[in-house]
């Protein structure tokens, strides 16, 4: 447990691991994750929570916080911005242009739970 006296850090948040990346999640905010196999308006629970801050104390996991979960609601499935991948070998007349759009799922953070009790 780490105590903080910073008033700016008073809002609860959690840092979770999802799809190979780490995300900073706060209640009632949305975030785009890699495509999840879940229906729209369904709920998803993440149990790979690395850190939980409940407003005045911080709990750090080793590597995960035991008993901590984050409940998410799937808002929509969408696609990210288009990225252009262009490969060229100089002096060889070899050019290759390819586009990519990542499949994403937009989720809303419903609650952050620590030991079965919601902190938000």
């Amino acid at each position: 447990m780490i105590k903080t006296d910073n008033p700016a850090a008073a809002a609860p948040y959690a840092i979770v691991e999802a799809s190979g990346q780490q995300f900073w999640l706060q209640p009632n905010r949305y975030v785009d994750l890699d495509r999840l196999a879940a229906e729209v308006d369904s709920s998803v629970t993440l149990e790979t929570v690395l850190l939980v801050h409940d407003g005045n104390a911080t709990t750090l996991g080793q590597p995960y916080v035991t008993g901590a979960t984050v409940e998410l609601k799937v808002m929509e499935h969408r696609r990210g911005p288009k990225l252009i991948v262009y490969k060229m070998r100089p002096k060889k007349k070899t050019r290759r242009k390819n586009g990519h759009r990542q499949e994403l799922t937009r989720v809303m953070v419903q609650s952050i739970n620590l030991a079965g009790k919601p902190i938000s």
Side-chain angles (χ1 to χ4, degrees):
M1 255 340 158
I2 301 169
K3 296 279 186 180
T4 58
D5 295 329
N6 186 0
Y13 64 87
I15 297 177
V16 300
E17 181 182 339
S19 64
Q21 299 174 349
Q22 296 177 5
F23 294 94
W24 176 300
L25 301 180
Q26 290 182 308
N28 299 321
R29 295 196 180 193
Y30 67 86
V31 67
D32 290 334
L33 304 175
D34 281 348
R35 183 62 59 99
L36 299 175
E39 297 294 324
V40 176
D41 292 331
S42 66
S43 63
V44 177
T45 302
L46 295 179
E47 297 177 353
T48 55
V49 181
L50 302 169
L51 181 138
V52 175
H53 178 75
D54 63 359
N56 53 11
T58 302
T59 306
L60 184 63
Q62 298 176 351
Y64 302 118
V65 178
T66 57
T69 59
V70 176
E71 294 182 21
L72 307 171
K73 180 183 175 191
V74 177
M75 295 173 61
E76 65 178 336
H77 296 294
R78 54 194 316 247
R79 298 179 79 193
K82 185 171 219 178
L83 302 176
I84 304 297
V85 180
Y86 188 74
K87 296 182 180 181
M88 182 185 102
R89 294 181 64 195
K91 303 177 198 164
K92 302 292 186 210
K93 291 189 179 180
T94 302
R95 287 161 178 77
R96 191 167 143 211
K97 183 177 179 182
N98 195 1
H100 176 76
R101 291 185 73 185
Q102 186 69 31
E103 301 286 329
L104 301 172
T105 299
R106 181 164 283 182
V107 294
M108 175 73 74
V109 179
Q110 295 292 318
S111 67
I112 301 170
N113 301 320
L114 184 60
K117 298 176 188 172
I119 64 168
S120 56

